[in-house]
Amino acid sequence: MTTRLAVLYGGQSGEHEVSCRSAASILAHLDREQYQVTEVLIDRDGGWHVDGQPTPLPAALRVLRAQDVVFPALHGPYGEDGTVSSLLEWLGVPYVGNGVFASAAGMDKGVTKRLLAAEGLRVSPGVTLRPDEDLSPDDQRRLELPVFVKPARAGSSLGVVKVDDWAGVPAAVEQARQVDPKVLIEQGARGREIDVAVLQHPDGRVQAGPPLEIRVTGAGFFDYDAKYDGGAIFQIPAPLDEATTEVLQDRAIRAFQALDCRGLLRVDFFLPTEGSPEPIVNEVNTFPGFTAASQFPQIWQQAGIGFAALIDILISGALADQDHSHHSGLPRQARAVDLV
């Protein structure tokens, strides 16, 4: 029996193109004998398209509701931030990946840092600026240069600026606010960039993959161009001793649990080359990239789980967890809403 599966992608965030690339990879690896696939695209203007045809919103929602499971391949605001998780919960349809809370908390870098710090995980010193706030002299004294100025709620390193002189902070904040009015200023961490992928299997077992080390060949840090235009080299597994590997994997699973994640997570670390060896959590991705160039699928490929098998695990997990009772206290069917 085939499973009715909708792949939902696109969206109105600055990561629309990345989402389309992720969806293309997912669609290319789905077993069409196992899945009856419907493509649902949200265009940059918020219009909905089902299998290439412009579709009114109520009709598109009916299509989603008729699925056995939805795979939301959305990155950034209006997708990865909990909004679409909430919509799918409301429709009463099982979906791949993180629920409303983990998605919303994981999207906001400042909130993520506070939750992880409360769990005892190490994070870089930083300060969150709301729309009408500037960096105070006290905060400036507390932080050391260089600092990274980041939109609090965006991905793919959009709007991120490295600042080596305090005089450059106001312009960097203004640039970050073009992406999100809430901005995080974070002390730059010195160390090796290591990513760890976390995968939850359908039986509930949570596994951390082999660490990946990023070596940037072009820009000074892993920015948007380095991510998607070949400006970085990934080494999997990272050349680390067994004890360090185990610490990184343990911290990644703790981050997964601290954020109440489900299905998948990528945790990006700095591994200090001096001082305390405790890894620093840089940020998390509740729906990491699924393009051919993305870290998450490459890590699991190295662990012996190919792209198609990875997709099957995530979909099976969503179906196994379809009552989501730990999120709402209600069975999914009781919360399904009739659509006009």
Side-chain angles (χ1 to χ4, degrees):
M1 190 174 115
T2 57
T3 299
R4 291 167 300 175
L5 169 73
V7 178
L8 176 61
Y9 64 100
Q12 293 179 268
S13 82
E15 295 176 83
H16 177 96
E17 183 58 39
V18 182
S19 171
C20 291
R21 291 194 214 176
S22 287
S25 294
I26 292 163
L27 289 162
H29 287 88
L30 285 168
D31 180 351
R32 297 307 172 111
E33 291 185 5
Q34 187 176 351
Y35 302 107
Q36 180 185 325
V37 180
T38 301
E39 296 185 35
V40 182
L41 166 70
I42 305 172
D43 66 29
R44 293 179 190 273
D45 297 321
W48 291 64
H49 304 257
V50 176
D51 288 334
Q53 298 300 312
T55 307
L57 178 58
L61 296 183
R62 279 196 294 272
V63 168
L64 289 178
R65 188 178 174 188
Q67 305 301 312
D68 294 315
V69 62
V70 175
F71 199 130
L74 291 155
H75 301 295
Y78 314 111
E80 193 182 350
D81 57 357
T83 50
V84 167
S85 301
S86 179
L87 172 67
L88 296 171
E89 293 273 354
W90 179 73
L91 290 173
V93 62
Y95 59 93
V96 168
N98 284 288
V100 178
F101 173 79
S103 299
M107 190 79 232
D108 189 314
K109 294 177 176 66
V111 171
T112 300
K113 284 166 68 81
R114 288 195 288 275
L115 288 169
L116 297 182
E119 178 66 20
L121 295 167
R122 186 181 179 192
V123 298
S124 287
V127 59
T128 300
L129 301 182
R130 286 168 179 78
D132 55 350
E133 293 177 335
D134 298 313
L135 184 66
S136 72
D138 284 348
D139 284 325
Q140 183 172 316
R141 280 190 289 272
R142 185 168 59 85
L143 301 175
E144 297 175 12
L145 290 169
V147 294
F148 283 86
V149 180
K150 308 175 176 182
R153 296 161 296 200
S156 290
S157 298
L158 290 170
V160 177
V161 182
K162 182 183 180 185
V163 178
D164 295 302
D165 184 327
W166 291 117
V169 167
V173 168
E174 190 58 37
Q175 184 172 330
R177 282 189 171 141
Q178 301 301 311
V179 180
D180 184 4
K182 186 177 178 184
V183 170
L184 177 68
I185 300 179
E186 192 170 63
Q187 184 173 304
R190 295 170 180 82
R192 297 162 66 184
E193 290 193 60
I194 309 286
D195 292 353
V196 179
V198 181
L199 177 65
Q200 186 173 31
H201 292 264
D203 62 3
R205 177 170 52 96
V206 178
Q207 177 186 4
L212 171 153
E213 182 162 12
I214 300 168
R215 298 177 186 273
V216 178
T217 56
F221 68 97
F222 193 41
D223 64 0
Y224 185 94
D225 291 336
K227 283 180 176 168
Y228 301 111
D229 295 335
I233 296 167
F234 299 149
Q235 191 166 356
I236 321 169
L240 300 166
D241 61 68
E242 190 175 336
T244 303
T245 295
E246 287 178 2
V247 167
L248 286 159
Q249 290 174 324
D250 170 78
R251 303 304 185 265
I253 290 173
R254 281 174 57 188
F256 182 93
Q257 293 166 339
L259 295 172
D260 192 25
C261 288
R262 187 181 73 218
L264 73 167
L265 184 71
R266 196 188 77 225
V267 186
D268 302 345
F269 293 96
F270 287 111
L271 188 62
T273 48
E274 54 190 49
S276 168
E278 176 65 27
I280 300 166
V281 180
N282 180 33
E283 54 187 61
V284 302
N285 285 266
T286 55
F287 186 74
F290 264 76
T291 71
S294 299
Q295 298 101 296
F296 194 88
Q298 289 195 44
I299 287 169
W300 292 112
Q301 182 80 44
Q302 184 68 31
I305 300 174
F307 204 115
L310 180 61
I311 293 167
D312 288 343
I313 288 169
L314 290 167
I315 294 169
S316 297
L319 289 166
D321 190 36
Q322 56 185 301
D323 71 347
H324 290 246
S325 56
H326 60 289
H327 286 266
S328 65
L330 289 172
R332 184 176 287 280
Q333 302 88 300
R335 294 178 292 107
V337 177
D338 287 329
L339 297 167
V340 293

